[in-house]
Amino acid sequence: MNDEDRQRLQVLCAGILGLILFLGVARFAYTPLLPLMREQAGLGAAAGGWLAAANYAGYLSGALLASKISDLKLKDRLYRASMVVAVAATALMGLASGEAMWALLRFVAGLSTAGGMLLGSGLIMNWLMRHRHRSELGIHFSGIGLGIVICSLAVALMSHWFDWRAQWYLFGVLGALLAIPAWRWLPRPDTTPLAGSGAHMEDRPPGRLFLALMMGAYFCAGAGFVVSATFIVAIVNGMPQLGGKGAWVFLAVGLAAAPACIVWDLIARRTGQLNALILASGLQALGILLPLLGDGLGTAMAGAVLFGGTFAGIVSMVMSMAGRFYPTRPAKMMSKLTVAYGVAQIGAPAIIGWLAGQNGSYAFGLYLASAVMLVGMFLFGLLRLVERREGARAA
């Protein structure tokens, strides 16, 4: 392996490990730990929704801040600071007591996650595109699914020996171990306007209508994603015949999500990205509903696989499109889109958690999430028409 291949591998690993830290540990560990905190820490259903909403509020705040930053060196410093914050916010969840403190820590964790997802992915995408490795973006985003797999397995195994506090401490240790290579293997950013081959990198912003429809569609994707991502473990554990299987269903989500970005990248090459986004949105709408269409483990697992295999692909494809429009500063459009994605995720967990506390069921939330995904599928269809019209005008 020559030096160029070794550096490419290290950069990809740095990005993947960073996503495992931010998405797996700092963000998604809360999902399998939610039933345990309700059982052992006295966290109510409505409060569980509010904590999730606080996390997404932090994520949205981070996205808004990231959208204002153009300097690559500043992005690099903030990304590395986000690693430290993510580890600290995770470990402190075990030390804290009371819903107000937990909500604050979930907000801070969400803030750090935005730094990891947007600034980190932007830095990785910038490096890959400068060195002509654009096709490997799907490999980078596989860290989303791997993060879910790792946190699901960790909770399923640790629950035999440790209570909820100890598990948050151990997740903090895991986060620190992930941060070390993620920090060391990511090169400092290159601020020159030339790609590695000498080709000039030029931003080509989309039209206003295209951007508005894309933000609307991604808003729907965020709303469809958040309900299952936050409550799927609690939903499955609430089924009498599936009690205790929630963590394993969440593991299925992660296993399906890990290769999803690469799979959808291959599909998009054949069908076009917007056609692939339409297909993924429809399949996710079906996956969200499947747990309500049957009462067995097979149906729940099938829904988890469809959900995991599509949400990560949608995120990857949308972020990749942003990178193509803004190759010199991909976080610019990524941040705008993530604001739309994040707005949808703030209110939904709180509303669904409150409804679940009132009637003891998450069913309404799943129906609502599936319906919103169908609206998003329609908007991606409109985007395809706009793209064709703009292409015809350019020709």
Side-chain angles (χ1 to χ4, degrees):
M1 182 182 293
N2 57 40
D3 291 341
E4 182 180 352
D5 290 337
R6 184 179 297 107
Q7 186 178 29
R8 183 177 72 249
L9 180 60
Q10 286 184 336
V11 171
L12 286 170
C13 287
I16 291 170
L17 293 174
L19 285 179
I20 294 173
L21 164 61
F22 291 110
L23 275 297
V25 174
R27 187 174 183 182
F28 284 127
Y30 175 70
T31 299
L33 282 175
L34 174 57
L36 205 63
M37 292 185 70
R38 291 188 59 184
E39 177 186 343
Q40 297 179 1
L43 185 66
W50 281 111
L51 292 189
N55 181 255
Y56 295 123
Y59 189 74
L60 175 60
S61 300
L64 288 170
L65 290 174
S67 68
K68 305 297 183 183
I69 302 172
S70 299
D71 184 83
L72 276 177
K73 292 183 178 180
L74 177 58
K75 289 180 180 180
D76 180 70
R77 291 195 294 269
L78 290 176
Y79 172 67
R80 296 174 192 275
S82 296
M83 293 187 193
V84 178
V85 173
V87 173
T90 300
L92 287 173
M93 279 293 292
L95 184 64
S97 295
E99 295 170 4
M101 194 62 190
W102 289 329
L104 175 61
L105 290 172
R106 296 313 296 156
F107 178 89
V108 172
L111 194 66
S112 71
T113 300
M117 181 66 184
L118 300 175
L119 300 180
S121 296
L123 292 168
I124 296 294
M125 291 172 74
N126 185 276
W127 189 92
L128 289 173
M129 295 176 77
R130 284 176 180 275
H131 294 80
R132 296 299 184 187
H133 302 307
R134 178 177 163 190
S135 63
E136 296 177 344
L137 292 176
I139 298 175
H140 166 67
F141 284 113
S142 66
I144 298 173
L146 291 174
I148 296 175
V149 170
I150 290 173
C151 73
S152 300
L153 283 174
V155 172
L157 295 174
M158 290 190 300
S159 295
H160 293 291
W161 299 286
F162 302 104
D163 65 3
W164 68 275
R165 287 188 186 276
Q167 291 191 50
W168 278 115
Y169 296 146
L170 291 171
F171 270 121
V173 173
L174 174 61
L177 294 176
L178 291 167
I180 294 172
W183 182 299
R184 294 186 60 185
W185 290 343
L186 180 65
R188 297 292 178 174
D190 183 358
T191 58
T192 61
L194 299 179
S197 64
H200 187 71
M201 296 175 66
E202 182 180 355
D203 293 336
R204 294 181 176 86
R208 290 184 178 181
L209 178 58
F210 188 96
L211 180 59
L213 287 173
M214 177 64 82
M215 291 182 69
Y218 206 45
F219 172 91
C220 293
F225 156 78
V226 69
V227 175
S228 288
T230 303
F231 299 113
I232 189 169
V233 177
I235 291 169
V236 173
N237 282 347
M239 298 179 178
Q241 68 280 11
L242 296 179
K245 300 293 195 303
W248 297 108
V249 172
F250 196 55
L251 173 62
V253 172
L255 289 173
C261 299
I262 300 173
V263 171
W264 283 106
D265 181 58
L266 296 174
I267 294 173
R269 292 184 193 183
R270 290 181 175 271
T271 66
Q273 280 191 309
L274 289 175
N275 286 328
L277 284 166
I278 292 169
L279 176 60
S281 298
L283 290 175
Q284 185 170 323
L286 175 61
I288 291 170
L289 280 184
L290 274 180
L292 299 179
L293 302 180
D295 55 2
L297 182 60
T299 306
M301 284 292 188
V305 169
L306 272 181
F307 172 71
T310 52
F311 91 80
I314 291 172
V315 170
S316 175
M317 287 187 285
V318 170
M319 294 296 102
S320 296
M321 289 180 71
R324 289 207 315 273
F325 286 124
Y326 288 93
T328 67
R329 39 185 184 156
K332 180 179 180 63
M333 186 173 174
M334 288 167 62
S335 300
K336 291 181 179 179
L337 290 167
T338 302
V339 168
Y341 199 80
V343 167
Q345 296 179 77
I346 294 176
I351 294 171
I352 302 308
W354 178 80
L355 289 172
Q358 294 295 309
N359 55 39
S361 173
Y362 290 100
F364 176 78
L366 295 181
Y367 284 120
L368 181 61
S370 182
V372 171
M373 284 306 304
L374 293 177
V375 174
M377 182 175 67
F378 173 74
L379 292 177
F380 280 127
L382 290 181
L383 269 173
R384 185 176 58 180
L385 297 177
V386 171
E387 184 181 56
R388 288 177 179 175
R389 188 182 68 180
E390 291 182 351
R393 286 180 177 177

